Amino acid sequence: MVLLRISLLFMALIFSGCATTETRVQAEYAPSDDDTFSIEIKNTANATETALTVFESQLSTHDSVLHTGKPNPSRLVTIEFTKYTARNPTERVLAGAMAGSDTVSTFTMVQDAETGEVLGMVNHDTRNSTAVEGINSLLRTHADKVVEYLVPPL
């Protein structure tokens, strides 16, 4: 019985926590249907190349709504990684939430491509303390939140 309680407590510690994204809008962006985007990613948080690849890959799944890669984009988007913390996978599985959390923070700025006028600014902070999902899942979720800011769902 004691062993069962210890096992249940251990499992609760491993699987506790959840992935959350905090969004702090500094300047609301009002998209229009004919917006096309050019996206630049800056890595001032020393995120790994693998992390950047996962993030960019997830962004590219939204190319049809972002209209990226078109000549003469109407919007310039800068996404700056300001914080990147990834737990060791072994620690994450063995200690769960007690091993800390994976964290990705970005600052996104949208500018008019012609005038350079700032049209929107937002900070996204995504944190995951679970043992189940790793940093790649967190990066994909984070990229989706950035896209929701640029092109809100209908």
Side-chain angles (χ1 to χ4, degrees), residues 104-116:
V104 173
S105 298
T106 57
F107 170 74
T108 302
M109 181 170 57
V110 182
Q111 295 175 279
D112 182 279
E114 241 179 71
T115 66

Side-chain angles (χ1 to χ4, degrees), residues 32-82:
S32 66
D33 290 339
D34 59 345
D35 284 347
T36 57
F37 296 91
S38 173
I39 298 175
E40 175 188 11
I41 297 175
K42 294 184 177 180
N43 184 15
T44 59
N46 295 319
T48 65
E49 285 301 316
T50 301
L52 295 174
T53 299
V54 169
F55 185 80
E56 290 171 355
S57 176
Q58 186 65 21
L59 285 179
S60 73
T61 66
H62 299 283
D63 281 349
S64 63
V65 294
L66 292 174
H67 308 289
T68 55
K70 304 220 180 212
N72 305 314
S74 61
R75 303 292 180 250
L76 302 177
V77 177
T78 303
I79 303 170
E80 179 183 356
F81 276 73
T82 57

Side-chain angles (χ1 to χ4, degrees), residues 2-154:
V2 171
L3 185 57
L4 176 62
R5 287 184 183 169
I6 291 172
S7 297
L8 290 174
L9 177 61
F10 181 71
M11 294 302 288
L13 288 173
I14 286 178
F15 294 109
S16 64
C18 61
T20 59
T21 299
E22 178 186 350
T23 301
R24 294 182 317 281
V25 177
Q26 296 178 15
E28 191 66 49
Y29 173 61
S32 66
D33 290 339
D34 59 345
D35 284 347
T36 57
F37 296 91
S38 173
I39 298 175
E40 175 188 11
I41 297 175
K42 294 184 177 180
N43 184 15
T44 59
N46 295 319
T48 65
E49 285 301 316
T50 301
L52 295 174
T53 299
V54 169
F55 185 80
E56 290 171 355
S57 176
Q58 186 65 21
L59 285 179
S60 73
T61 66
H62 299 283
D63 281 349
S64 63
V65 294
L66 292 174
H67 308 289
T68 55
K70 304 220 180 212
N72 305 314
S74 61
R75 303 292 180 250
L76 302 177
V77 177
T78 303
I79 303 170
E80 179 183 356
F81 276 73
T82 57
K83 183 173 184 181
Y84 176 82
T85 307
R87 294 172 289 171
N88 176 299
T90 304
E91 291 172 355
R92 180 177 52 81
V93 171
L94 291 178
M98 297 188 65
S101 61
D102 299 323
T103 305
V104 173
S105 298
T106 57
F107 170 74
T108 302
M109 181 170 57
V110 182
Q111 295 175 279
D112 182 279
E114 241 179 71
T115 66
E117 175 188 2
V118 175
L119 303 173
M121 294 185 297
V122 65
N123 292 87
H124 287 100
D125 300 308
T126 305
R127 178 181 308 257
N128 178 12
S129 299
T130 66
V132 178
E133 295 183 6
I135 188 68
N136 290 347
S137 176
L138 180 126
L139 287 160
R140 286 189 285 274
T141 298
H142 193 90
D144 291 342
K145 292 297 182 182
V146 171
V147 171
E148 284 178 22
Y149 174 75
L150 298 172
V151 184
L154 299 176

